[in-house]
Amino acid sequence: MDIFDLLEKYKSANIALSLEQERELIAQYIHSTNQLEGNMLTLAQTQSIIDNGEVSGEHIKTRDILEQKGTYKALIRMLNAVREKEPLSIELIKELNW
């Protein structure tokens, strides 16, 4: 099954998330993915970065903030590409890995 078939299957299920639920799922995904790579930000800090671009706390590394922001940007770009049925290209892959 390719990603477009999966998207159609998802659409046919008539699942409608609220904006808050969607943002929460995105934050959980970003937090979990980057935590596997050693990112030390909490889920609440990740949510704060997504919501308003700010984070507070002690011993926060700039690298961790940039990693969360970059993952968020890439994820949103990828989701938009899928929604628009944009073909997978070398340019898109480079953009997502920037």
Side-chain angles (χ1 to χ4, degrees):
M1 176 178 292
D2 70 18
I3 196 161
F4 295 111
D5 292 334
L6 188 59
L7 180 60
E8 289 305 315
K9 188 175 181 180
Y10 173 78
K11 286 180 182 178
S12 69
N14 293 323
I15 298 172
L17 298 175
S18 69
L19 182 59
E20 292 81 17
Q21 290 171 317
E22 184 175 306
R23 290 179 74 80
E24 184 178 324
L25 286 174
I26 288 171
Q28 288 174 358
Y29 173 81
I30 292 168
H31 175 259
S32 298
T33 301
N34 290 339
Q35 192 175 37
L36 290 172
E37 297 176 4
N39 192 300
M40 300 302 291
L41 295 177
T42 66
L43 178 57
Q45 289 169 323
T46 300
Q47 188 71 54
S48 178
I49 290 170
I50 291 170
D51 289 344
N52 57 38
E54 298 176 2
V55 66
S56 61
E58 296 181 17
H59 309 294
I60 296 174
K61 296 179 182 175
T62 302
R63 177 190 61 83
D64 288 350
I65 296 169
L66 294 176
E67 186 176 43
Q68 301 300 59
K69 286 183 172 186
T71 303
Y72 175 72
K73 182 179 177 182
L75 180 60
I76 295 303
R77 175 65 179 96
M78 186 268 312
L79 291 172
N80 287 333
V82 171
R83 285 184 187 123
E84 298 298 321
K85 297 187 178 183
E86 183 178 332
L88 184 60
S89 65
I90 292 171
E91 291 78 21
L92 178 60
I93 292 171
K94 285 180 179 178
E95 184 180 344
L96 293 173
N97 283 295
W98 177 81

PDB file of all heavy atoms in Angstrom, residues 53-81:
ATOM      1  N   GLY A  53       6.543  29.315  19.403  1.00  0.00           N
ATOM      2  CA  GLY A  53       7.949  29.477  19.059  1.00  0.00           C
ATOM      3  C   GLY A  53       8.858  29.770  20.228  1.00  0.00           C
ATOM      4  O   GLY A  53      10.023  30.114  20.045  1.00  0.00           O
ATOM      5  N   GLU A  54       8.345  29.633  21.449  1.00  0.00           N
ATOM      6  CA  GLU A  54       9.131  29.939  22.644  1.00  0.00           C
ATOM      7  C   GLU A  54       9.202  28.729  23.555  1.00  0.00           C
ATOM      8  O   GLU A  54       8.333  27.862  23.529  1.00  0.00           O
ATOM      9  CB  GLU A  54       8.505  31.105  23.399  1.00  0.00           C
ATOM     10  CG  GLU A  54       8.456  32.393  22.606  1.00  0.00           C
ATOM     11  CD  GLU A  54       7.749  33.510  23.350  1.00  0.00           C
ATOM     12  OE1 GLU A  54       7.332  33.297  24.504  1.00  0.00           O
ATOM     13  OE2 GLU A  54       7.607  34.587  22.765  1.00  0.00           O
ATOM     14  N   VAL A  55      10.233  28.709  24.375  1.00  0.00           N
ATOM     15  CA  VAL A  55      10.390  27.627  25.338  1.00  0.00           C
ATOM     16  C   VAL A  55      11.083  28.192  26.572  1.00  0.00           C
ATOM     17  O   VAL A  55      11.882  29.122  26.476  1.00  0.00           O
ATOM     18  CB  VAL A  55      11.182  26.441  24.723  1.00  0.00           C
ATOM     19  CG1 VAL A  55      12.602  26.832  24.414  1.00  0.00           C
ATOM     20  CG2 VAL A  55      11.135  25.224  25.614  1.00  0.00           C
ATOM     21  N   SER A  56      10.751  27.644  27.721  1.00  0.00           N
ATOM     22  CA  SER A  56      11.401  28.081  28.954  1.00  0.00           C
ATOM     23  C   SER A  56      11.833  26.848  29.742  1.00  0.00           C
ATOM     24  O   SER A  56      11.361  25.752  29.510  1.00  0.00           O
ATOM     25  CB  SER A  56      10.443  28.941  29.796  1.00  0.00           C
ATOM     26  OG  SER A  56       9.307  28.185  30.154  1.00  0.00           O
ATOM     27  N   GLY A  57      12.736  27.078  30.675  1.00  0.00           N
ATOM     28  CA  GLY A  57      13.238  25.993  31.498  1.00  0.00           C
ATOM     29  C   GLY A  57      14.733  26.138  31.698  1.00  0.00           C
ATOM     30  O   GLY A  57      15.350  27.087  31.214  1.00  0.00           O
ATOM     31  N   GLU A  58      15.303  25.184  32.385  1.00  0.00           N
ATOM     32  CA  GLU A  58      16.737  25.221  32.679  1.00  0.00           C
ATOM     33  C   GLU A  58      17.491  24.243  31.787  1.00  0.00           C
ATOM     34  O   GLU A  58      16.942  23.226  31.362  1.00  0.00           O
ATOM     35  CB  GLU A  58      16.966  24.863  34.147  1.00  0.00           C
ATOM     36  CG  GLU A  58      16.363  25.866  35.115  1.00  0.00           C
ATOM     37  CD  GLU A  58      16.634  25.500  36.556  1.00  0.00           C
ATOM     38  OE1 GLU A  58      17.527  24.671  36.812  1.00  0.00           O
ATOM     39  OE2 GLU A  58      15.939  26.045  37.431  1.00  0.00           O
ATOM     40  N   HIS A  59      18.726  24.582  31.518  1.00  0.00           N
ATOM     41  CA  HIS A  59      19.646  23.718  30.771  1.00  0.00           C
ATOM     42  C   HIS A  59      19.093  23.325  29.395  1.00  0.00           C
ATOM     43  O   HIS A  59      19.191  22.169  28.983  1.00  0.00           O
ATOM     44  CB  HIS A  59      19.998  22.464  31.580  1.00  0.00           C
ATOM     45  CG  HIS A  59      20.453  22.757  32.969  1.00  0.00           C
ATOM     46  ND1 HIS A  59      21.626  23.416  33.250  1.00  0.00           N
ATOM     47  CD2 HIS A  59      19.864  22.509  34.170  1.00  0.00           C
ATOM     48  CE1 HIS A  59      21.755  23.543  34.557  1.00  0.00           C
ATOM     49  NE2 HIS A  59      20.701  23.015  35.148  1.00  0.00           N
ATOM     50  N   ILE A  60      18.500  24.272  28.707  1.00  0.00           N
ATOM     51  CA  ILE A  60      17.946  24.019  27.379  1.00  0.00           C
ATOM     52  C   ILE A  60      19.032  24.274  26.339  1.00  0.00           C
ATOM     53  O   ILE A  60      19.673  25.323  26.346  1.00  0.00           O
ATOM     54  CB  ILE A  60      16.717  24.909  27.105  1.00  0.00           C
ATOM     55  CG1 ILE A  60      15.610  24.547  28.090  1.00  0.00           C
ATOM     56  CG2 ILE A  60      16.240  24.753  25.679  1.00  0.00           C
ATOM     57  CD1 ILE A  60      14.402  25.456  28.015  1.00  0.00           C
ATOM     58  N   LYS A  61      19.215  23.310  25.470  1.00  0.00           N
ATOM     59  CA  LYS A  61      20.219  23.433  24.420  1.00  0.00           C
ATOM     60  C   LYS A  61      19.576  24.011  23.161  1.00  0.00           C
ATOM     61  O   LYS A  61      18.481  23.606  22.762  1.00  0.00           O
ATOM     62  CB  LYS A  61      20.821  22.068  24.099  1.00  0.00           C
ATOM     63  CG  LYS A  61      21.585  21.455  25.248  1.00  0.00           C
ATOM     64  CD  LYS A  61      22.132  20.100  24.859  1.00  0.00           C
ATOM     65  CE  LYS A  61      22.849  19.462  26.039  1.00  0.00           C
ATOM     66  NZ  LYS A  61      23.283  18.100  25.733  1.00  0.00           N
ATOM     67  N   THR A  62      20.276  24.940  22.548  1.00  0.00           N
ATOM     68  CA  THR A  62      19.804  25.538  21.304  1.00  0.00           C
ATOM     69  C   THR A  62      19.591  24.456  20.246  1.00  0.00           C
ATOM     70  O   THR A  62      18.623  24.495  19.492  1.00  0.00           O
ATOM     71  CB  THR A  62      20.818  26.592  20.796  1.00  0.00           C
ATOM     72  OG1 THR A  62      20.984  27.571  21.806  1.00  0.00           O
ATOM     73  CG2 THR A  62      20.346  27.243  19.512  1.00  0.00           C
ATOM     74  N   ARG A  63      20.485  23.471  20.220  1.00  0.00           N
ATOM     75  CA  ARG A  63      20.373  22.372  19.265  1.00  0.00           C
ATOM     76  C   ARG A  63      19.036  21.651  19.404  1.00  0.00           C
ATOM     77  O   ARG A  63      18.394  21.309  18.407  1.00  0.00           O
ATOM     78  CB  ARG A  63      21.525  21.382  19.468  1.00  0.00           C
ATOM     79  CG  ARG A  63      21.482  20.158  18.565  1.00  0.00           C
ATOM     80  CD  ARG A  63      22.509  19.106  18.975  1.00  0.00           C
ATOM     81  NE  ARG A  63      22.328  18.595  20.318  1.00  0.00           N
ATOM     82  CZ  ARG A  63      21.477  17.626  20.646  1.00  0.00           C
ATOM     83  NH1 ARG A  63      20.707  17.080  19.746  1.00  0.00           N
ATOM     84  NH2 ARG A  63      21.381  17.212  21.891  1.00  0.00           N
ATOM     85  N   ASP A  64      18.583  21.440  20.627  1.00  0.00           N
ATOM     86  CA  ASP A  64      17.310  20.754  20.859  1.00  0.00           C
ATOM     87  C   ASP A  64      16.136  21.582  20.331  1.00  0.00           C
ATOM     88  O   ASP A  64      15.209  21.041  19.728  1.00  0.00           O
ATOM     89  CB  ASP A  64      17.112  20.458  22.346  1.00  0.00           C
ATOM     90  CG  ASP A  64      18.026  19.344  22.860  1.00  0.00           C
ATOM     91  OD1 ASP A  64      18.672  18.671  22.032  1.00  0.00           O
ATOM     92  OD2 ASP A  64      18.075  19.151  24.085  1.00  0.00           O
ATOM     93  N   ILE A  65      16.191  22.884  20.545  1.00  0.00           N
ATOM     94  CA  ILE A  65      15.120  23.763  20.054  1.00  0.00           C
ATOM     95  C   ILE A  65      15.080  23.740  18.536  1.00  0.00           C
ATOM     96  O   ILE A  65      14.013  23.579  17.929  1.00  0.00           O
ATOM     97  CB  ILE A  65      15.321  25.208  20.568  1.00  0.00           C
ATOM     98  CG1 ILE A  65      15.200  25.251  22.094  1.00  0.00           C
ATOM     99  CG2 ILE A  65      14.326  26.157  19.912  1.00  0.00           C
ATOM    100  CD1 ILE A  65      15.646  26.557  22.709  1.00  0.00           C
ATOM    101  N   LEU A  66      16.247  23.894  17.917  1.00  0.00           N
ATOM    102  CA  LEU A  66      16.313  23.902  16.456  1.00  0.00           C
ATOM    103  C   LEU A  66      15.862  22.566  15.865  1.00  0.00           C
ATOM    104  O   LEU A  66      15.219  22.530  14.815  1.00  0.00           O
ATOM    105  CB  LEU A  66      17.730  24.250  15.996  1.00  0.00           C
ATOM    106  CG  LEU A  66      18.198  25.663  16.337  1.00  0.00           C
ATOM    107  CD1 LEU A  66      19.651  25.855  15.929  1.00  0.00           C
ATOM    108  CD2 LEU A  66      17.305  26.709  15.683  1.00  0.00           C
ATOM    109  N   GLU A  67      16.183  21.484  16.560  1.00  0.00           N
ATOM    110  CA  GLU A  67      15.758  20.157  16.101  1.00  0.00           C
ATOM    111  C   GLU A  67      14.231  20.039  16.125  1.00  0.00           C
ATOM    112  O   GLU A  67      13.624  19.552  15.166  1.00  0.00           O
ATOM    113  CB  GLU A  67      16.389  19.078  16.977  1.00  0.00           C
ATOM    114  CG  GLU A  67      16.129  17.670  16.500  1.00  0.00           C
ATOM    115  CD  GLU A  67      16.853  16.651  17.346  1.00  0.00           C
ATOM    116  OE1 GLU A  67      16.858  16.777  18.598  1.00  0.00           O
ATOM    117  OE2 GLU A  67      17.404  15.711  16.755  1.00  0.00           O
ATOM    118  N   GLN A  68      13.602  20.511  17.190  1.00  0.00           N
ATOM    119  CA  GLN A  68      12.138  20.448  17.280  1.00  0.00           C
ATOM    120  C   GLN A  68      11.501  21.319  16.194  1.00  0.00           C
ATOM    121  O   GLN A  68      10.558  20.908  15.532  1.00  0.00           O
ATOM    122  CB  GLN A  68      11.644  20.901  18.657  1.00  0.00           C
ATOM    123  CG  GLN A  68      12.158  20.130  19.853  1.00  0.00           C
ATOM    124  CD  GLN A  68      11.843  18.662  19.889  1.00  0.00           C
ATOM    125  OE1 GLN A  68      12.205  17.906  19.015  1.00  0.00           O
ATOM    126  NE2 GLN A  68      11.170  18.235  20.942  1.00  0.00           N
ATOM    127  N   LYS A  69      12.026  22.534  16.023  1.00  0.00           N
ATOM    128  CA  LYS A  69      11.475  23.434  15.013  1.00  0.00           C
ATOM    129  C   LYS A  69      11.652  22.865  13.606  1.00  0.00           C
ATOM    130  O   LYS A  69      10.741  22.941  12.774  1.00  0.00           O
ATOM    131  CB  LYS A  69      12.140  24.811  15.098  1.00  0.00           C
ATOM    132  CG  LYS A  69      11.687  25.640  16.271  1.00  0.00           C
ATOM    133  CD  LYS A  69      12.326  27.016  16.240  1.00  0.00           C
ATOM    134  CE  LYS A  69      11.744  27.915  17.295  1.00  0.00           C
ATOM    135  NZ  LYS A  69      12.263  29.288  17.184  1.00  0.00           N
ATOM    136  N   GLY A  70      12.817  22.306  13.336  1.00  0.00           N
ATOM    137  CA  GLY A  70      13.081  21.731  12.015  1.00  0.00           C
ATOM    138  C   GLY A  70      12.210  20.524  11.722  1.00  0.00           C
ATOM    139  O   GLY A  70      11.691  20.371  10.604  1.00  0.00           O
ATOM    140  N   THR A  71      12.025  19.675  12.707  1.00  0.00           N
ATOM    141  CA  THR A  71      11.166  18.502  12.526  1.00  0.00           C
ATOM    142  C   THR A  71       9.727  18.930  12.289  1.00  0.00           C
ATOM    143  O   THR A  71       9.035  18.377  11.440  1.00  0.00           O
ATOM    144  CB  THR A  71      11.258  17.561  13.742  1.00  0.00           C
ATOM    145  OG1 THR A  71      12.623  17.178  13.926  1.00  0.00           O
ATOM    146  CG2 THR A  71      10.412  16.317  13.540  1.00  0.00           C
ATOM    147  N   TYR A  72       9.271  19.935  13.023  1.00  0.00           N
ATOM    148  CA  TYR A  72       7.910  20.450  12.839  1.00  0.00           C
ATOM    149  C   TYR A  72       7.735  20.989  11.418  1.00  0.00           C
ATOM    150  O   TYR A  72       6.769  20.654  10.726  1.00  0.00           O
ATOM    151  CB  TYR A  72       7.610  21.540  13.869  1.00  0.00           C
ATOM    152  CG  TYR A  72       6.267  22.200  13.676  1.00  0.00           C
ATOM    153  CD1 TYR A  72       5.093  21.515  13.972  1.00  0.00           C
ATOM    154  CD2 TYR A  72       6.173  23.498  13.195  1.00  0.00           C
ATOM    155  CE1 TYR A  72       3.857  22.114  13.790  1.00  0.00           C
ATOM    156  CE2 TYR A  72       4.943  24.100  13.015  1.00  0.00           C
ATOM    157  CZ  TYR A  72       3.787  23.403  13.311  1.00  0.00           C
ATOM    158  OH  TYR A  72       2.567  23.994  13.116  1.00  0.00           O
ATOM    159  N   LYS A  73       8.673  21.802  10.983  1.00  0.00           N
ATOM    160  CA  LYS A  73       8.603  22.393   9.647  1.00  0.00           C
ATOM    161  C   LYS A  73       8.587  21.302   8.577  1.00  0.00           C
ATOM    162  O   LYS A  73       7.785  21.352   7.638  1.00  0.00           O
ATOM    163  CB  LYS A  73       9.783  23.340   9.436  1.00  0.00           C
ATOM    164  CG  LYS A  73       9.786  24.030   8.102  1.00  0.00           C
ATOM    165  CD  LYS A  73      10.983  24.973   7.970  1.00  0.00           C
ATOM    166  CE  LYS A  73      11.026  25.600   6.597  1.00  0.00           C
ATOM    167  NZ  LYS A  73      12.192  26.478   6.437  1.00  0.00           N
ATOM    168  N   ALA A  74       9.457  20.304   8.712  1.00  0.00           N
ATOM    169  CA  ALA A  74       9.523  19.223   7.729  1.00  0.00           C
ATOM    170  C   ALA A  74       8.242  18.380   7.736  1.00  0.00           C
ATOM    171  O   ALA A  74       7.738  17.997   6.671  1.00  0.00           O
ATOM    172  CB  ALA A  74      10.741  18.337   8.006  1.00  0.00           C
ATOM    173  N   LEU A  75       7.710  18.107   8.916  1.00  0.00           N
ATOM    174  CA  LEU A  75       6.493  17.306   9.016  1.00  0.00           C
ATOM    175  C   LEU A  75       5.307  18.015   8.371  1.00  0.00           C
ATOM    176  O   LEU A  75       4.546  17.404   7.599  1.00  0.00           O
ATOM    177  CB  LEU A  75       6.183  16.984  10.483  1.00  0.00           C
ATOM    178  CG  LEU A  75       4.940  16.143  10.758  1.00  0.00           C
ATOM    179  CD1 LEU A  75       5.031  14.783  10.072  1.00  0.00           C
ATOM    180  CD2 LEU A  75       4.729  15.971  12.247  1.00  0.00           C
ATOM    181  N   ILE A  76       5.145  19.292   8.647  1.00  0.00           N
ATOM    182  CA  ILE A  76       4.044  20.056   8.054  1.00  0.00           C
ATOM    183  C   ILE A  76       4.207  20.116   6.534  1.00  0.00           C
ATOM    184  O   ILE A  76       3.242  19.943   5.784  1.00  0.00           O
ATOM    185  CB  ILE A  76       3.968  21.473   8.665  1.00  0.00           C
ATOM    186  CG1 ILE A  76       3.618  21.392  10.152  1.00  0.00           C
ATOM    187  CG2 ILE A  76       2.971  22.344   7.914  1.00  0.00           C
ATOM    188  CD1 ILE A  76       2.324  20.663  10.473  1.00  0.00           C
ATOM    189  N   ARG A  77       5.434  20.324   6.077  1.00  0.00           N
ATOM    190  CA  ARG A  77       5.688  20.367   4.627  1.00  0.00           C
ATOM    191  C   ARG A  77       5.347  19.031   3.983  1.00  0.00           C
ATOM    192  O   ARG A  77       4.742  18.968   2.913  1.00  0.00           O
ATOM    193  CB  ARG A  77       7.149  20.745   4.371  1.00  0.00           C
ATOM    194  CG  ARG A  77       7.572  20.713   2.915  1.00  0.00           C
ATOM    195  CD  ARG A  77       6.828  21.771   2.102  1.00  0.00           C
ATOM    196  NE  ARG A  77       7.254  21.753   0.730  1.00  0.00           N
ATOM    197  CZ  ARG A  77       6.620  21.109  -0.254  1.00  0.00           C
ATOM    198  NH1 ARG A  77       5.510  20.431  -0.003  1.00  0.00           N
ATOM    199  NH2 ARG A  77       7.078  21.127  -1.478  1.00  0.00           N
ATOM    200  N   MET A  78       5.730  17.922   4.625  1.00  0.00           N
ATOM    201  CA  MET A  78       5.450  16.589   4.104  1.00  0.00           C
ATOM    202  C   MET A  78       3.951  16.323   4.070  1.00  0.00           C
ATOM    203  O   MET A  78       3.417  15.808   3.080  1.00  0.00           O
ATOM    204  CB  MET A  78       6.170  15.535   4.946  1.00  0.00           C
ATOM    205  CG  MET A  78       6.065  14.124   4.420  1.00  0.00           C
ATOM    206  SD  MET A  78       4.695  13.099   5.046  1.00  0.00           S
ATOM    207  CE  MET A  78       4.757  13.330   6.779  1.00  0.00           C
ATOM    208  N   LEU A  79       3.246  16.696   5.128  1.00  0.00           N
ATOM    209  CA  LEU A  79       1.796  16.484   5.157  1.00  0.00           C
ATOM    210  C   LEU A  79       1.092  17.296   4.069  1.00  0.00           C
ATOM    211  O   LEU A  79       0.160  16.806   3.429  1.00  0.00           O
ATOM    212  CB  LEU A  79       1.234  16.839   6.540  1.00  0.00           C
ATOM    213  CG  LEU A  79       1.621  15.901   7.680  1.00  0.00           C
ATOM    214  CD1 LEU A  79       1.162  16.474   9.016  1.00  0.00           C
ATOM    215  CD2 LEU A  79       1.073  14.507   7.464  1.00  0.00           C
ATOM    216  N   ASN A  80       1.553  18.518   3.845  1.00  0.00           N
ATOM    217  CA  ASN A  80       0.979  19.335   2.775  1.00  0.00           C
ATOM    218  C   ASN A  80       1.262  18.735   1.404  1.00  0.00           C
ATOM    219  O   ASN A  80       0.406  18.766   0.522  1.00  0.00           O
ATOM    220  CB  ASN A  80       1.498  20.771   2.846  1.00  0.00           C
ATOM    221  CG  ASN A  80       0.892  21.543   3.991  1.00  0.00           C
ATOM    222  OD1 ASN A  80      -0.215  21.250   4.435  1.00  0.00           O
ATOM    223  ND2 ASN A  80       1.614  22.525   4.488  1.00  0.00           N
ATOM    224  N   ALA A  81       2.447  18.186   1.213  1.00  0.00           N
ATOM    225  CA  ALA A  81       2.793  17.541  -0.063  1.00  0.00           C
ATOM    226  C   ALA A  81       1.881  16.351  -0.321  1.00  0.00           C
ATOM    227  O   ALA A  81       1.406  16.152  -1.445  1.00  0.00           O
ATOM    228  CB  ALA A  81       4.257  17.105  -0.056  1.00  0.00           C
TER     229      ALA A  81
END
